[in-house]
């Protein structure tokens, strides 16, 4: 969960649930917060972390494993996506054409050996 940081009206999450059910594999939802991106601020991070708490509550009654990760220092989360992705059948991500999302997805695609699907917020446009 990157640009659509919510459990409702989230096309990427819907696709991930669909794939989890189809493949008979557990659903792991990573919502990570880096500490050093353009326009990062304590105010924005507080807002995101409050959303993470709400998401944790929303996922609690489900079978999904929700993994919120807040990077404690620059670079500390490096390798986390790859470590999780290497054990996954597929990695589903949000696609959003601005901010740092396209760059982040390109970097993720270079690191992952498993399939990466990026789902657009307005239609099911999948990029691998």
């Amino acid at each position: 969960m990157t640009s659509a940081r919510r459990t409702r009206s989230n096309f990427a999450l819907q696709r991930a649930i669909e794939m989890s059910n189809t493949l008979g594999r557990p659903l792991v939802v990573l919502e990570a917060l880096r500490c050093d991106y353009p326009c990062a601020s304590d105010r924005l991070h507080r807002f995101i972390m409050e959303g993470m708490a709400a998401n944790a509550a929303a996922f609690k009654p489900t079978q999904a494993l929700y993994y919120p990760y807040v990077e404690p220092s620059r670079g500390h989360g490096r390798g986390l996506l790859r470590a999780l992705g290497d054990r996954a059948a597929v990695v589903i991500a949000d696609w959003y054409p601005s901010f740092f999302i396209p760059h982040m997805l390109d970097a993720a695609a270079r690191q992952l050996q498993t399939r990466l699907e990026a789902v657009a917020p307005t239609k099911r446009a999948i990029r691998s």
Side-chain angles (χ1 to χ4, degrees), residues 81-82 85-86 88-89 91 108-116:
L81 178 62
R82 181 171 185 173
D86 283 351
V91 174
R110 287 190 301 272
Q111 292 177 27
L112 293 170
Q113 295 179 2
T114 192
R115 179 177 171 83
L116 170 64

Side-chain angles (χ1 to χ4, degrees), residues 2-119:
T2 307
S3 60
R5 292 178 176 265
R6 58 185 177 270
T7 58
R8 292 182 162 166
S9 300
N10 184 328
F11 290 108
L13 181 56
Q14 289 172 357
R15 175 66 175 157
I17 292 168
E18 177 183 289
M19 291 300 293
S20 173
N21 290 335
T22 298
L23 298 172
R25 299 284 301 266
L27 176 63
V28 177
V29 178
L30 171 64
E31 184 175 15
L33 177 59
R34 286 180 37 206
C35 64
D36 69 333
Y37 57 90
C39 302
S41 69
D42 290 344
R43 181 175 182 232
L44 181 56
H45 285 183
R46 179 178 175 159
F47 175 76
I48 292 170
M49 288 188 285
E50 287 172 357
M52 288 174 148
N55 288 341
F59 279 112
K60 190 171 185 171
T62 74
Q63 293 182 350
L65 170 64
Y66 174 66
Y67 184 49
Y69 176 78
V70 178
E71 188 177 51
S73 61
R74 183 180 183 175
H76 191 266
R78 185 169 284 124
L80 176 61
L81 178 62
R82 181 171 185 173
L84 292 173
D86 283 351
R87 301 185 70 187
V90 63
V91 174
I92 310 291
D94 308 269
W95 167 252
Y96 192 74
S98 64
F99 202 34
F100 64 87
I101 305 295
H103 173 72
M104 182 193 69
L105 288 174
D106 288 341
R110 287 190 301 272
Q111 292 177 27
L112 293 170
Q113 295 179 2
T114 192
R115 179 177 171 83
L116 170 64
E117 293 184 7
V119 181

